[in-house]
Amino acid sequence: MIPEADILVVGGGLGGVAAALAACRAGRSVVLTEETDWIGGQLTSQAVPPDEHPWVEQFGTTASYRRLREEIRKYYRHWYPLRAEALALTDLNPGAGRVSKLCHEPRVALAVLEGMLAPHRAAGRLTVLTEHRPISAESDNDVIRSVTLKDLRDGTRRTLTARYVLDATETGALLQLAGVEHANGAEARAEFDEPHAPDEAQPLNQQGITVCFALSHHEGEDHTIDRPQDYDFWHTYQPSFWPGPLLGFEAPDPRTLEPVPRTFVPNPTLDPLRVSADQSADAGDKELWGFRRILARKLHSPSAFDSDITLVNWPLNDYWLKPYIGQEAEALCEARQLSQSLLYWLQTEAPRADGGTGFPGLRIRPDVTGTADGLAKAAYVRESRRIRAVTTVTEHDVAIDLVGPYGGTRHRDSVGVGSYRIDLHPSTGGDNYIDIGSVPFEIPLGALVPRRVRNLLPAGKNIGTTHITNGCYRLHPVEWNVGEVVGALAAHCVAEDVEPHQVQAEDKRFEEFAQLLDRDGVQRHWPDVRGY
């Protein structure tokens, strides 16, 4: 029997978990649902190490996000055979990956997130329904009355009601199901006068998705998989804007679009303690093995691990032939074939530094991803449906060329901060990378409030950004911040019998809510830092 809850959170990714935690901290009852059998989204079921700004160890996140990061480090310190020098590091990077100062395995993040939720489940405040997919929603008079979910294990349908419904799905699925006004794909330039927007609206122009997977390497062994069904296609596929075949080590530099060779050397000899992860100084994406490495064998006692583990989320397996939103099943099938084809190419045909070809010792790691075939449980979806919000964040708010390195819009109703380059991957509209310098930004509450609907709030990448600004608002710490704020907002609205629109619009009500965020450690403004 599922108890009636104050707040229903549909989607158990980072935003959904943060929302559930915030609402439970405020004493509200919550039901959290998730389509896969793992909560955690980007960090777990999608197997994406965190993309973060260079100041993340000092400031620029919420207190609860910092706690998540520190608990992940504690897990490694407690359970893993770290060498003394690594064990002593306060800023331990378990994978010594270059993409983040905290690269780690999906299962470790899952364990920590489950631990963070555990006391609320034990207290009866929180019910978690995994393997449940939303299939319909009923609304009346601008209020979401119910959401129906399908249990993917046995087909059972469950209709749930709550005072507030939070859409934390990866695609903004509830926006479509509940008829909430939203944008999809690229807006026309005339709508917001964004320099990088297309002349005409392109709703089917969406960033590519990626099906990630984990690899280790065992020289002298042969772990070659069966030849994938679509290998002939992917082996010869060359995008018009690519310097050669997609399955190749030469790809555009995202910032310059110039062809740049990538290197691939499994298990390099470099001491991982010498690796620096600072994307403002060096994107770090040219050395593929180390870019998203999630376990560095040399951080541990010599006999503990015979290989690193690296996470494959590279230009070579970004998929953009079909839009994911609206064609999920077909796009996912083809994206999975691309990733399997990449693995087969690496094992059989990839050029080696010694002049040979193929790395048959590469072993896909289903134990890391929690799946039978070793591919991530879910696709990494960079771009969601986005609410038509009270406030829309545009390129004019964050692009460094428009506002200057110390500029950026300051919002009266700021409820958080973030920073990342405007990073759009190749898209289903045929666009190459759109990678634009940006400034540290604030998250306006108005971007989290739909224009019309009164009790649905976005809790992920489905906030009021554009196709362009989604590129810097879509990363892990911002998704967590958004989820935490809307969870707190829904709880506040239940407690005070007010609505989100009132909290956003009325100065006194907003200040009361902002004081709660401040108390909980939600940073709402930046110190004096420079964009990059």
Side-chain angles (χ1 to χ4, degrees):
M1 185 72 177
I2 301 170
E4 186 173 343
D6 296 318
I7 298 165
L8 170 62
V9 184
V10 181
L14 283 178
V17 171
L21 282 169
C24 287
R25 279 200 310 266
R28 310 323 306 185
S29 58
V30 178
V31 172
L32 172 66
T33 76
E34 163 56 27
E35 191 164 328
T36 73
D37 59 347
W38 280 9
I39 61 169
Q42 293 189 67
L43 281 188
T44 61
S45 60
Q46 297 170 35
V48 182
D51 285 290
E52 299 170 324
H53 57 73
W55 308 282
V56 67
E57 301 294 350
Q58 291 79 41
F59 48 77
T61 70
T62 73
S64 65
Y65 186 77
R66 288 194 297 276
R67 181 186 173 205
L68 166 65
R69 298 176 85 256
E70 185 51 37
E71 291 298 325
I72 288 171
R73 286 182 167 132
K74 285 182 180 178
Y75 191 101
Y76 280 96
R77 292 188 189 109
H78 185 78
W79 294 110
Y80 279 62
L82 290 162
R83 57 191 253 217
E85 301 96 318
L87 188 61
L89 292 174
T90 57
D91 58 349
L92 172 68
N93 188 349
R98 297 180 187 275
V99 72
S100 169
K101 298 177 188 296
L102 184 67
C103 291
H104 54 82
E105 299 154 86
R107 283 188 184 275
V108 174
L110 176 65
V112 170
L113 291 169
E114 289 280 9
M116 294 172 80
L117 292 178
H120 301 295
R121 298 176 81 167
R125 285 186 295 273
L126 175 65
T127 301
V128 179
L129 303 176
T130 56
E131 297 182 85
H132 278 68
R133 176 185 297 157
I135 57 173
S136 65
E138 298 296 328
S139 60
D140 177 54
N141 195 28
D142 300 336
V143 172
I144 310 303
R145 299 298 182 188
S146 66
V147 176
T148 299
L149 301 109
K150 179 179 179 181
D151 187 328
L152 301 180
R153 295 162 295 195
D154 61 14
T156 301
R157 299 189 175 200
R158 294 182 170 89
T159 298
L160 306 182
T161 60
R163 292 275 299 276
Y164 281 88
V165 177
L166 310 188
D167 184 349
T169 63
E170 299 299 324
T171 61
L174 288 188
L175 306 183
Q176 179 75 20
L177 293 174
V180 180
E181 291 82 359
H182 62 275
N184 197 24
E187 293 89 350
R189 183 175 302 159
E191 186 166 0
F192 298 109
D193 193 31
E194 293 183 302
H196 288 87
D199 291 336
E200 301 294 333
Q202 298 175 357
L204 299 181
N205 188 358
Q206 304 162 15
Q207 286 192 70
I209 64 171
T210 305
V211 175
C212 302
F213 57 95
L215 290 176
S216 53
H217 184 257
H218 310 271
E219 192 66 48
E221 301 178 11
D222 189 346
H223 297 282
T224 305
I225 64 171
D226 293 338
R227 184 185 180 95
Q229 177 181 328
D230 293 348
Y231 183 71
D232 287 344
F233 172 80
W234 290 114
H235 178 250
T236 58
Y237 173 63
Q238 179 172 342
S240 60
F241 50 83
W242 220 252
L246 183 62
L247 299 187
F249 287 145
E250 189 172 47
D253 180 284
R255 301 184 187 184
T256 68
L257 303 185
E258 293 297 319
V260 177
R262 268 62 172 178
T263 61
F264 182 73
V265 180
N267 293 323
T269 58
L270 176 70
D271 186 342
L273 291 180
R274 294 175 57 193
V275 171
S276 174
D278 183 350
Q279 292 197 50
S280 67
D282 178 4
D285 59 346
K286 306 306 185 290
E287 194 269 293
L288 294 174
W289 183 270
F291 183 45
R292 296 185 187 271
R293 181 170 52 180
I294 56 176
L295 185 141
R297 72 197 189 286
K298 286 179 172 290
L299 285 183
H300 302 274
S301 59
S303 60
F305 303 102
D306 62 354
S307 174
D308 298 341
I309 302 175
T310 194
L311 199 287
V312 180
N313 174 14
W314 303 341
L316 288 68
N317 62 324
D318 275 3
Y319 170 85
W320 57 73
L321 295 190
K322 287 186 175 70
Y324 183 68
I325 294 174
Q327 302 183 54
E328 286 89 346
E330 299 93 329
L332 179 60
C333 181
E334 293 183 9
R336 289 171 59 85
Q337 277 289 306
L338 169 56
S339 288
Q340 290 174 328
S341 295
L342 169 57
L343 172 57
Y344 186 77
W345 178 81
L346 288 169
Q347 292 172 324
T348 61
E349 297 190 56
R352 300 173 59 113
D354 61 10
T357 55
F359 298 83
L362 290 172
R363 178 158 66 96
I364 196 166
R365 298 293 299 267
D367 54 320
V368 173
T369 56
T371 59
D373 60 9
L375 300 180
K377 292 176 179 287
Y380 175 32
V381 181
R382 295 178 174 88
E383 184 174 343
S384 173
R385 299 175 178 91
R386 304 177 299 279
I387 63 166
R388 296 289 186 183
V390 170
T391 303
T392 301
V393 177
T394 76
E395 194 175 345
H396 296 279
D397 296 313
V398 295
I400 198 169
D401 287 344
L402 299 180
V403 302
Y406 296 102
T409 301
R410 304 295 183 258
H411 295 281
R412 172 196 67 84
D413 60 343
S414 176
V415 290
V417 297
S419 181
Y420 205 74
R421 288 178 66 87
I422 298 175
D423 171 21
L424 277 70
H425 283 232
S427 72
T428 56
D431 294 333
N432 202 337
Y433 291 98
I434 299 175
D435 193 288
I436 308 162
S438 67
V439 295
F441 53 79
E442 297 179 350
I443 305 169
L445 182 58
L448 315 184
V449 177
R451 295 176 186 172
R452 176 182 59 85
V453 178
R454 295 156 52 200
N455 73 330
L456 180 141
L457 296 167
K461 296 189 265 305
N462 51 350
I463 65 173
T465 58
T466 65
H467 173 72
I468 301 296
T469 56
N470 161 265
C472 63
Y473 273 73
R474 65 179 173 81
L475 287 310
H476 301 63
V478 175
E479 181 181 346
W480 182 276
N481 191 327
V482 167
E484 182 170 355
V485 168
V486 298
L489 177 62
H492 177 69
C493 288
V494 170
E496 300 297 324
D497 195 26
V498 296
E499 294 188 352
H501 292 83
Q502 295 173 282
V503 176
Q504 190 278 329
E506 300 173 21
D507 288 346
K508 185 176 184 300
R509 292 191 186 279
F510 175 74
E511 287 304 318
E512 291 172 351
F513 177 59
Q515 288 175 13
L516 298 178
L517 298 182
D518 294 341
R519 180 200 66 189
D520 288 340
V522 176
Q523 182 180 339
R524 298 189 296 114
H525 304 286
W526 279 97
D528 186 12
V529 291
R530 177 186 175 95
Y532 66 97

